[in-house]
Amino acid sequence: MISMSVHTSEQLQRISSEAEMGNGQRPGSGQKKSGRRNQKDPLFHIVKRTDIPMWKSLLIRAGALIAALVVCAVIIVVITGEDPFEMYKHMFNGSFKTPKKFWGMLQEMAILLCISLAVTPAFKMRFWNIGAEGQVLMGGLGALMAMKLLGDDGLRLPNAVVLPMTIITAILFGALWAVVPAIFKAQWNTNETLFTLMMNYIAIQIVRYIQIVWSGGSTALRPINGTGSDPSYAGWLRLPAQIDPSFTGSVVVPSSSGYLLNILIVAALTVMVFLYMRYTKQGYELSVVGESENTARYGGISVKKVIIRTMLISGVLCGIAGLLIVAGTDHIINDGSAKGYGYTAIIVSWLAKFNPFYMVLTTFLVIFLKQGASELSTRTSGVITDDFSNILIAIIILFIIGCEFFINYQIKVRARQQKSKEAAES
Amino acid sequence: MQNIPAIRFENITKRFGNKVVANKHVTMDIQKGEIMALLGENGSGKTTLMNMLSGIYRQDEGVIYINGEEAHINSPRDAYDLGVGMIHQHFKLVDVFTAIENIALGMDKKESGGTKEITEKVKAICDKYGFDVDPKKKVYNMTVSEKQTLEIVKTLFRGANMLILDEPTAVLTPQETDKLFAVMRNMKADGKSIIIITHKLNEVLAISDRVAILRKGEYIGTVLTAEASVQSLTDMMVGEKVELDIERPDLEYKEKKLSVSHLSCRDKYGVTVLDDVSFDAYGGEILGIAGISGSGQKQLLEAIAGLQKTEKGSSIIYYDNSNHVETELTGLSVSEIKKMGVTLAFVPEDRLGMGLVGSMGMTGNMMLRSYKMGHSPFTDRNTPRDLAVKVKDELEVVTPGIATPVRKLSGGNVQKVLVGREIALEPSVMMAAYAVRGLDINTSYTIYRLLNDQKKKGTAVIYVGEDLDVLLALCDRILVLCDGKVNGIVDGRTATKEEVGLMMTHLADDASAVPHESAQEQSDASVQDAQAETIQETKEEGEK
């Protein structure tokens, strides 16, 4: 009776293991004793690893990437009938074909990295801030309002006044949007996830409203302070064209900005966030709060203060990201200016285990895929749509995240176990 | 049939990663109708072995036989089906469910029947073995002992013939322990096999038939309990001769360090958890705090440490005798207390959840007490690193390196890191809650020695304990908490286990059984007058 009931639960396990592994090719399965055992023992066991050498984890990650590309290739062939290598070439070209594309990729990386840096201290503190999207939008709105109200359309103040004001309002708006949920969390222990999410919707609606009011209802917005007969470019965040290699046009005073300044600012922020998190007292405090609020209180850390301060820093960085988008590249704003990066940044930060330098790599991965996907859909002119590219991106990211399982766990196949058992018996 | 063991481990090996071998070729038997105690120091592989039997882990090598048949236990469900049930240290009950609901949880209605059938069956089990379970009582209203009873009944309900009890007495009073042992004997008489994991050797001798000993993952041997003694078991466990007496140095000079008066606290639901507690703590003595768990011990220590809000009228005065300064500690935060120059060391009950940062290495944890020093916005890492190395060497912390997250260390080593850091503060008051819970004999004695060292240095040591044998051997005075009130302070040299056990469960005003001599003895003992007064006051209040 006992063996019967054991059987049922094991059957389930065996079915699942056999489905994955393919069955019936093990050596020695013909023997009577091990034949009985085969019926009872599952085919493999999952065992947690205690540590893994660096090379092995890199190998697993590389393997995951290759496996992802193979799976994508199969899907491309099956669904579209296109040559997968041609597809991958297009994807690669999306970021590397021309200097313009390359700079474009770096610029996108800068924005996404900046937002990822922004969410990192909060997440390290286990404050689930999913409101980066709104904080970035508000930062951008702050920049735009300063540029509009103080610039060509408003008071016509000189750039020396407009630019600092643009920077300050952007940071203030971003910080405000982040600190409100932090205060509520610290004082009344509200749920920060819902709160920050709601703040996103408010930010989006505010931006829409202002966009409509200021554009007089038309959707085609002109770059602020960049059009007309004698544009002042007040509040534009850029380096002179002569020293910025990312200008690809031939105009000396171009109507678009270069990307170098954005990239330099984010590079500096990356180092600063790294140092802040690892070497400052405040960085230490936020790690302790993230680990356990009780330990923090025990250590004499004011949890409320740390929550508010850390979210303030998050908000400032989001404000800077908004500034880089509006004053640095777009010079306009709409409700999609943050491009959903406020959410993508969470994945980037998490994948990099909150290490700012690893985040450069994960940012690269995400942006490279994104650029490649959009290149793919334009090159194949309709055969592969944006949606299809997104499927490919999703598959690749799934594999990369999924391979963490194999880094943390080990699969032990029974065949090998049995051999060692038999060796021990004889 | 007689010779077939209920459970047989054959050549069991379990590895974690490539380096750690938790069990190495363990071969042992447990007979039907037998209580076997499984002994071993921390990290000797007791729990790992039992987890393989209950389906949580899978052995790498070897075979487990149940009733003579090879068993493949791949999940706790398989273990249940084979009649193996484990009662974990941390109960796996749903707080908002009743006893019956918890028993029914996860069972097929076809197997277990409806509420009525379950209730009847539970009643039958209770009558048979002498359990006392109120089927309709919700778990959150239960005492620890009741919860444990429920866990055992739940396991029996599912048809377990083989029970594993992981440190069942750690949270029980002596009286509750006796009750548990009585039902264990009843179960044994009914032919059930019981494996009990415990660190308390007296209990091993009292309850078990045989004792199996593991050391560093290897099976050392099995002895008949009748032929064993505390000393012989310890020696087998440790592998060498161990000195088993807890030292209690007598110090002449005692000065008042802390005076707690009328201390009351409420928990977050507004329930009074500490009720008008008053006592003094002296440098050069260890003041023990006894009480069943949840009697306010936690709040008492946390209130002194500045972590617990106190009610109006409470007072905690700290005496700085060299400067003749008295400091009122109530209402101050941890950092404010520190700024006043008061060095309180506190080893909290929840080591990784309060005392340490699990994800950080030893260095990061040493920093918790010192990182604020200096005006630089950056942390000083060298001093804590040196301290980490010092603690590692002096207390023989076993860790791959001082950067290894302390969460990955074994319980004893975690505690050494925590105690080492607190001692490095050179405190004038040192508080420790359940400082040896879950620790093996060697580490426990290290902790006792460290506490005694502090006492000799003139520190006032406050030690919250659960093992009355230890409290009575280590402490100069023992304050007994019952339901948040001080139920008396007894002399650790003269008090008996039964006396303290009774005071833990019966408030002085509703039990005349509390012996009055204890107060008498107190005033005779070489304690200062002020101290005796406190006791008298408490006594009078209790009686009124």
Side-chain angles (χ1 to χ4, degrees):
Chain A
M1 195 202 82
I2 285 170
S3 63
M4 277 295 286
S5 47
V6 172
H7 202 68
T8 46
S9 65
E10 267 179 358
Q11 257 173 346
L12 272 177
Q13 227 168 334
R14 206 174 62 244
I15 288 162
S16 61
S17 38
E18 278 169 7
E20 270 183 58
M21 303 293 292
N23 200 17
Q25 293 150 12
R26 279 177 311 281
S29 57
Q31 289 167 21
K32 202 180 170 190
K33 195 181 172 192
S34 52
R36 199 176 82 94
R37 199 171 289 163
N38 282 351
Q39 281 192 341
K40 297 197 128 198
D41 246 4
L43 194 53
F44 62 83
H45 293 105
I46 296 161
V47 182
K48 197 164 168 51
R49 290 182 200 265
T50 40
D51 48 1
I52 182 166
M54 186 71 170
W55 63 268
K56 220 173 182 175
S57 69
L58 284 176
L59 210 66
I60 289 173
R61 290 203 170 91
L65 195 62
I66 291 167
L69 292 176
V70 171
V71 170
C72 287
V74 170
I75 288 174
I76 290 170
V77 172
V78 168
I79 294 183
T80 67
E82 301 275 330
D83 176 2
F85 291 103
E86 198 66 18
M87 302 286 115
Y88 289 145
K89 207 179 95 192
H90 286 317
M91 285 185 84
F92 183 79
N93 284 344
S95 298
F96 292 104
K97 194 175 188 188
T98 60
K100 190 171 173 219
K101 284 196 193 305
F102 181 68
W103 282 108
M105 176 188 71
L106 289 185
Q107 148 67 11
E108 289 292 305
M109 275 179 68
I111 300 292
L112 180 58
L113 182 56
C114 185
I115 304 173
S116 306
L117 292 171
V119 298
T120 298
F123 272 83
K124 179 94 184 173
M125 193 179 64
R126 310 246 169 111
F127 183 101
W128 312 121
N129 170 26
I130 55 171
E133 188 85 358
Q135 290 149 23
V136 171
L137 270 182
M138 289 310 284
L141 185 69
L144 185 97
M145 286 173 93
M147 286 161 74
K148 173 107 180 169
L149 298 174
L150 306 178
D152 293 2
D153 297 345
L155 298 173
R156 298 196 145 272
L157 296 175
N159 192 27
V161 179
V162 179
L163 186 60
M165 282 310 290
T166 305
I167 295 171
I168 290 169
T169 47
I171 289 176
L172 274 182
F173 273 48
L176 176 77
W177 228 243
V179 87
V180 170
I183 291 171
F184 274 76
K185 169 81 176 180
Q187 288 300 330
W188 298 288
N189 198 24
T190 53
N191 182 319
E192 73 273 17
T193 314
L194 288 175
F195 207 127
T196 50
L197 185 66
M198 294 303 173
M199 295 284 281
N200 283 349
Y201 300 128
I202 300 173
I204 288 170
Q205 296 307 329
I206 291 177
V207 167
R208 263 189 206 155
Y209 173 77
I210 296 220
Q211 184 194 353
I212 289 166
V213 168
W214 280 357
S215 65
S218 90
T219 45
L221 270 180
R222 301 167 299 120
I224 303 285
N225 301 344
T227 47
S229 52
D230 180 25
S232 67
Y233 302 113
W236 286 35
L237 206 61
R238 56 179 184 166
L239 291 172
Q242 289 84 350
I243 59 165
D244 187 343
S246 62
F247 278 106
T248 43
S250 55
V251 205
V252 180
V253 184
S255 57
S256 69
S257 288
Y259 299 141
L260 186 63
L261 187 56
N262 276 6
I263 294 162
L264 292 178
I265 290 173
V266 175
L269 287 177
T270 308
V271 176
M272 280 163 66
V273 170
F274 178 80
L275 294 177
Y276 179 79
M277 302 267 289
R278 181 158 296 190
Y279 293 108
T280 64
K281 292 176 179 175
Q282 298 190 356
Y284 179 78
E285 285 180 343
L286 74 88
S287 321
V288 176
V289 170
E291 182 69 25
S292 152
E293 285 192 16
N294 269 334
T295 307
R297 292 193 313 124
Y298 168 89
I301 297 169
S302 163
V303 175
K304 286 181 185 180
K305 203 173 101 187
V306 173
I307 288 177
I308 293 172
R309 186 181 65 206
T310 306
M311 272 308 278
L312 205 58
I313 289 168
S314 264
V316 165
L317 289 168
C318 280
I320 292 176
L323 174 79
L324 298 184
I325 292 170
V326 169
T329 53
D330 292 1
H331 314 301
I332 50 164
I333 196 165
N334 59 52
D335 54 8
S337 283
K339 295 182 190 166
Y341 283 179
Y343 305 109
T344 314
I346 298 171
I347 304 174
V348 168
S349 175
W350 209 282
L351 266 181
K353 302 197 169 81
F354 307 129
N355 182 323
F357 292 129
Y358 293 163
M359 267 178 234
V360 178
L361 291 177
T362 47
T363 312
F364 168 76
L365 177 79
V366 170
I367 295 298
F368 171 78
L369 289 174
K370 201 168 126 57
Q371 303 280 90
S374 82
E375 176 79 7
L376 196 56
S377 53
T378 50
R379 285 297 149 195
T380 55
S381 53
V383 176
I384 288 179
T385 61
D386 242 359
D387 297 330
F388 189 79
S389 318
N390 282 332
I391 294 176
L392 298 185
I393 294 183
I395 290 173
I396 293 171
I397 290 185
L398 191 69
F399 269 77
I400 287 169
I401 297 173
C403 83
E404 293 291 316
F405 174 83
F406 294 94
I407 289 167
N408 289 322
Y409 295 90
Q410 199 176 359
I411 307 284
K412 281 197 177 166
V413 184
R414 182 183 41 182
R416 206 191 298 163
Q417 241 176 28
Q418 206 162 303
K419 249 185 248 164
S420 63
K421 205 190 286 177
E422 273 154 17
E425 276 167 11
S426 61
Chain B
M1 282 302 283
Q2 281 298 325
N3 294 330
I4 295 174
I7 304 165
R8 177 172 169 77
F9 295 99
E10 196 173 276
N11 216 15
I12 299 287
T13 299
K14 174 74 189 171
R15 293 185 200 86
F16 291 110
N18 298 324
K19 289 174 202 151
V20 186
V21 185
N23 286 130
K24 205 151 122 199
H25 303 301
V26 174
T27 301
M28 57 185 262
D29 295 336
I30 295 100
Q31 301 296 335
K32 280 173 197 149
E34 173 181 61
I35 298 178
M36 175 177 255
L38 191 54
L39 264 187
E41 294 193 81
N42 290 118
S44 60
K46 303 178 300 274
T47 310
T48 308
L49 190 65
M50 289 306 113
N51 279 340
M52 284 187 279
L53 183 58
S54 57
I56 292 167
Y57 294 146
R58 181 82 171 58
Q59 69 268 26
D60 293 329
E61 286 168 32
V63 185
I64 299 174
Y65 294 95
I66 304 244
N67 296 324
E69 285 208 28
E70 186 178 343
H72 297 273
I73 308 169
N74 294 312
S75 70
R77 179 83 211 189
D78 289 356
Y80 264 127
D81 291 338
L82 288 166
V84 177
M86 182 155 176
I87 287 95
H88 293 270
Q89 239 171 320
H90 305 282
F91 306 132
K92 312 214 178 299
L93 298 168
V94 181
D95 265 357
V96 293
F97 280 7
T98 62
I100 288 295
E101 283 165 341
N102 267 289
I103 290 173
L105 197 67
M107 292 199 73
D108 204 318
K109 198 168 176 187
K110 275 180 228 148
E111 297 171 47
S112 62
T115 318
K116 219 172 125 193
E117 285 95 328
I118 297 177
T119 314
E120 272 165 24
K121 212 174 147 195
V122 167
K123 275 218 179 92
I125 292 174
C126 290
D127 291 345
K128 190 167 174 193
Y129 300 111
F131 290 110
D132 191 12
V133 172
D134 178 356
K136 293 230 166 62
K137 198 167 185 180
K138 303 245 181 189
V139 170
Y140 61 79
N141 282 329
M142 293 186 180
T143 65
V144 182
S145 167
E146 283 174 314
K147 287 182 196 170
Q148 186 180 60
T149 309
L150 176 57
E151 278 278 12
I152 298 174
V153 171
K154 187 172 104 184
T155 314
L156 291 173
F157 183 88
R158 300 192 175 191
N161 292 314
M162 289 149 265
L163 283 101
I164 309 162
L165 303 169
D166 190 0
E167 297 208 34
T169 59
V171 287
L172 302 182
T173 61
Q175 285 80 1
E176 289 168 335
T177 304
D178 289 343
K179 233 165 100 185
L180 173 70
F181 284 179
V183 293
M184 280 173 71
R185 289 195 185 97
N186 288 342
M187 291 194 281
K188 173 179 131 184
D190 192 41
K192 305 217 182 278
S193 310
I194 300 171
I195 304 176
I196 174 171
I197 301 178
T198 174
H199 286 299
K200 299 185 188 170
L201 296 173
N202 299 338
E203 296 175 357
V204 170
L205 294 174
I207 186 74
S208 67
D209 300 311
R210 289 194 301 155
V211 187
I213 289 150
L214 294 180
R215 190 197 310 148
K216 293 185 177 131
E218 287 182 72
Y219 172 69
I220 299 300
T222 304
V223 291
L224 287 173
T225 309
E227 295 165 5
S229 68
V230 169
Q231 189 68 50
S232 73
L233 291 177
T234 314
D235 295 348
M236 271 181 93
M237 222 160 79
V238 180
E240 58 192 56
K241 200 125 180 69
V242 180
E243 191 59 54
L244 272 185
D245 290 323
I246 300 176
E247 192 194 3
R248 174 160 48 195
D250 282 305
L251 298 177
E252 282 300 310
Y253 177 69
K254 288 175 181 163
E255 60 180 19
K256 204 198 272 187
K257 292 271 185 170
L258 205 61
S259 178
V260 174
S261 49
H262 308 297
L263 175 64
S264 299
C265 298
R266 288 171 194 275
D267 66 8
K268 59 179 172 178
Y269 304 109
V271 177
T272 304
V273 279
L274 268 189
D275 192 358
D276 200 23
V277 167
S278 301
F279 67 92
D280 293 328
Y282 295 85
E285 72 157 12
I286 297 182
L287 173 66
I289 312 260
I292 53 174
S293 66
S295 299
Q297 298 96 323
K298 183 171 180 273
Q299 287 77 10
L300 175 58
L301 296 196
E302 289 185 3
I304 297 172
L307 289 162
Q308 166 78 41
K309 233 181 124 221
T310 53
E311 294 295 303
K312 234 176 131 188
S314 306
S315 163
I316 301 165
I317 293 170
Y318 170 81
Y319 298 93
D320 183 349
N321 297 300
S322 50
N323 298 320
H324 302 286
V325 187
E326 295 180 7
T327 317
E328 174 62 57
L329 298 184
T330 50
L332 298 185
S333 72
V334 175
S335 48
E336 281 164 342
I337 290 176
K338 205 166 163 191
K339 267 187 215 137
M340 308 286 279
V342 181
T343 45
L344 296 176
F346 180 24
V347 179
E349 176 183 358
D350 189 356
R351 293 162 202 162
L352 286 171
M354 182 175 243
L356 297 169
V357 189
S359 61
M360 292 186 186
M362 281 182 71
T363 309
N365 275 294
M366 295 301 145
M367 277 167 69
L368 191 62
R369 286 292 198 190
S370 63
Y371 79 96
K372 275 187 184 158
M373 288 206 265
H375 294 288
S376 153
F378 292 97
T379 48
D380 165 23
R381 299 205 147 241
N382 296 328
T383 323
R385 190 179 303 129
D386 294 345
L387 178 60
V389 171
K390 196 175 145 224
V391 168
K392 179 174 184 275
D393 292 345
E394 283 181 6
L395 301 187
E396 294 165 351
V397 178
V398 182
T399 167
I402 52 170
T404 307
V406 293
R407 183 188 290 131
K408 292 194 172 166
L409 306 186
S410 73
N413 287 309
V414 166
Q415 185 67 321
K416 282 181 184 173
V417 173
L418 178 51
V419 172
R421 182 190 70 203
E422 293 304 294
I423 285 175
L425 292 172
E426 301 189 342
S428 49
V429 176
M430 170 135 192
M431 299 181 285
Y434 308 111
V436 299
R437 180 182 282 175
L439 304 193
D440 58 52
I441 291 224
N442 257 338
T443 319
S444 299
Y445 277 76
T446 308
I447 303 288
Y448 303 144
R449 181 173 55 76
L450 292 169
L451 292 177
N452 269 324
D453 287 349
Q454 289 301 307
K455 172 181 166 183
K456 285 182 214 159
K457 277 186 189 165
T459 307
V461 180
I462 301 175
Y463 175 86
V464 173
E466 50 201 347
D467 188 335
L468 289 182
D469 292 317
V470 171
L471 277 169
L472 289 167
L474 179 71
C475 303
D476 299 282
R477 288 186 301 148
I478 300 168
L479 182 154
V480 186
L481 279 177
C482 179
D483 210 11
K485 297 186 181 73
V486 177
N487 204 17
I489 301 179
V490 296
D491 190 328
R493 288 173 177 81
T494 53
T496 65
K497 202 170 153 185
E498 286 67 32
E499 180 189 336
V500 177
L502 206 56
M503 287 171 77
M504 282 161 66
T505 44
H506 295 82
L507 266 179
D509 53 9
D510 55 46
S512 53
V514 175
H516 285 253
E517 303 91 71
S518 61
Q520 217 57 45
E521 280 163 7
Q522 271 301 310
S523 37
D524 294 340
S526 61
V527 232
Q528 291 183 355
D529 291 349
Q531 191 181 324
E533 263 171 39
T534 321
I535 300 149
Q536 291 297 355
E537 270 170 33
T538 338
K539 276 280 155 197
E540 277 157 25
E541 270 163 36
E543 277 157 9
K544 137 179 101 175

